[in-house]
């Protein structure tokens, strides 16, 4: 294969509750994204977490059926809204995999877990999710996971490696976690073949760099925010092309669709929250106040 074409989808937040997730019907937004992805016809689809909104079995049944209908090879990894047992138990289909790595020609794709606070690793019992994992939202990598990633990078024979995660490094405000960027810098080390990182979680479409490696953030297929302009954005996704010389092209695709054309200006306190200047409790109080005002 001369080059590998990949579509990244993130933060699907499939929900069985009326109103979906943050006032959008995420099954409807996903279906619209899926129509575009079928036209793109990539070699592979990577889903970088928050697949279910509350990590429930019936949410994974919905998500699994929707991803299966893409009729393309799909690889999934967990976000803070995902619970590992139902994700692994319910999501896989003939075209949907949850394996941790994938080799295609000279490239290796590593599907990492950045949910450091999401659970406990026990040498005999394996991984157990924390019940409040949804709220433990900041990125970080366990010692076991960091060791696994380092071994894949140091001992593998691929020419080029791509790391897919839920949490992007280089986050600020509420997306920042002390130590996470240092872990990424450790993985980047001079001799590793790591060419780029792609993640989700921020529900935004931005490009930055971490420890000298390009780091791409994928929009949500449901609700997105332009954090600079404080605007609500339409659903979106990312396209990637991986070349055999190690180059990567990527672009964000926003869904231009009249159903989600309104780019509402968000109130200033939302920016304060995302900048880490407001606690979760203060944010919830402001939300309750705002919903009271709007009736
Ligand atoms: Fe999310
Ligand atoms: Fe997330």
């Amino acid at each position: 294969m001369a080059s590998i074409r990949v579509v990244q989808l993130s933060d699907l937040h499939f929900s069985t509750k009326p109103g979906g997730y943050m006032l959008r019907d995420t099954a409807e937004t996903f279906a619209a994204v899926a129509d575009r992805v079928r036209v793109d016809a990539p070699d592979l689809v990577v889903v970088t977490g928050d697949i279910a909104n509350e990590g429930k079995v019936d949410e994974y049944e919905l998500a699994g059926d929707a991803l299966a209908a893409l009729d393309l090879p799909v690889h999934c990894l967990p976000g803070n809204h995902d619970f590992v047992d139902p994700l692994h138990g319910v999501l896989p289909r003939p075209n949907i995999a949850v394996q941790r790595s994938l080799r295609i020609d000279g490239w290796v794709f590593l599907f990492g877990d950045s949910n450091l606070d999401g659970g406990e690793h026990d040498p005999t019992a394996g991984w157990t999710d924390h019940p409040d994992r949804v709220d433990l939202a900041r990125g970080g990598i366990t010692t076991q996971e960091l060791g696994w990633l380092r071994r894949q990078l140091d001992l593998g024979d691929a020419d080029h490696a791509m790391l897919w995660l839920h949490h992007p490094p280089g986050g600020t405000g509420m997306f920042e976690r002390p130590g996470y960027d240092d872990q990424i810098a450790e993985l980047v080390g001079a001799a590793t073949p790591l060419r780029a990182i792609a993640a989700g979680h921020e529900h935004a479409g931005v490009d930055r760099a971490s420890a000298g490696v390009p780091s791409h953030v994928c929009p949500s297929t449901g609700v997105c925010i332009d954090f600079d302009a404080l605007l609500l954005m339409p659903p979106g996704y990312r396209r990637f092309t991986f070349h055999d010389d190690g180059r990567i092209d990527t672009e964000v695709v926003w869904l231009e669709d009249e159903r989600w054309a309104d780019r509402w200006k968000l109130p200033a306190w939302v920016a304060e929250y995302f900048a880490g200047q407001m606690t979760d409790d203060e944010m919830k109080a402001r939300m309750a106040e705002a919903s009271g005002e709007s009736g």
Side-chain angles (χ1 to χ4, degrees):
M1 207 182 286
S3 58
I4 309 160
R5 292 191 312 119
V6 176
V7 157
Q8 181 189 7
L9 306 177
S10 202
D11 297 84
L12 285 48
H13 288 273
F14 269 91
S15 172
T16 53
K17 287 193 173 155
Y21 172 67
M22 288 177 72
L23 302 180
R24 278 196 184 146
D25 178 338
T26 47
E28 185 188 15
T29 58
F30 182 87
V33 169
D35 286 344
R36 293 284 293 271
V37 173
R38 280 190 208 93
V39 174
D40 290 351
D43 302 305
L44 177 72
V45 175
V46 175
V47 185
T48 47
D50 285 0
I51 297 163
N53 191 44
E54 296 180 54
K56 292 181 174 166
V57 165
D58 50 2
E59 294 175 334
Y60 288 112
E61 280 167 356
L62 281 179
D65 291 348
L67 289 167
L70 284 173
D71 209 16
L72 294 162
V74 177
H75 270 254
C76 298
L77 61 85
N80 53 300
H81 282 251
D82 293 305
F83 282 71
V84 173
D85 271 354
L87 187 155
H88 283 208
V90 178
L91 199 58
R93 304 280 195 283
N95 68 318
I96 305 174
V98 292
Q99 277 102 320
R100 314 261 287 115
S101 71
L102 178 68
R103 179 72 186 262
I104 306 178
D105 298 334
W107 280 88
V108 66
F109 292 159
L110 301 175
F111 305 101
D113 189 328
S114 55
N115 298 282
L116 171 62
D117 296 326
E120 294 296 331
H121 189 87
D122 181 284
T124 49
W127 179 264
T128 308
D129 290 315
H130 287 152
D132 56 350
R133 138 186 194 107
V134 170
D135 297 323
L136 301 169
R138 294 177 193 248
I141 303 175
T142 65
T143 307
Q144 290 86 349
E145 179 74 2
L146 203 58
W148 179 79
L149 288 168
R150 208 181 287 127
R151 286 191 294 278
Q152 303 309 305
L153 291 167
D154 291 349
L155 306 177
D157 62 354
D159 297 327
H160 315 293
M162 176 73 187
L163 177 56
W164 306 89
L165 297 166
H166 180 62
H167 299 81
T172 55
M174 74 165 293
F175 297 121
E176 186 175 0
R177 184 205 175 89
Y180 184 40
D181 289 357
D182 297 334
Q183 293 183 314
I184 297 293
E186 255 186 74
L187 290 172
V188 170
T192 69
L194 187 61
R195 302 288 174 247
I197 298 162
H201 184 61
E202 294 183 12
H203 292 229
V206 293
D207 300 278
R208 49 195 184 223
S210 191
V213 167
S215 169
H216 308 288
V217 183
C218 182
S220 164
T221 61
V223 180
C224 301
I225 296 173
D226 177 332
F227 287 100
D228 293 326
L230 264 191
L231 294 176
L232 188 74
M233 297 294 286
Y237 67 100
R238 256 188 194 276
R239 295 185 186 124
F240 285 89
T241 304
F242 296 89
H243 300 279
D244 56 10
D245 62 1
R247 281 179 306 115
I248 300 170
D249 298 319
T250 181
E251 63 177 336
V252 170
V253 182
W254 295 110
L255 230 66
E256 300 301 339
D257 185 305
E258 61 182 20
R259 285 172 287 180
W260 306 294
D262 285 340
R263 299 196 177 187
W264 301 330
K265 184 77 179 172
L266 299 169
W269 63 262
V270 174
E272 284 174 39
Y273 175 66
F274 283 113
Q277 295 160 358
M278 186 184 282
T279 66
D280 285 356
D281 285 344
E282 286 167 342
M283 186 271 290
K284 282 173 188 165
R286 294 299 293 267
M287 278 183 80
E289 215 176 278
S291 65
E293 280 163 14
S294 66

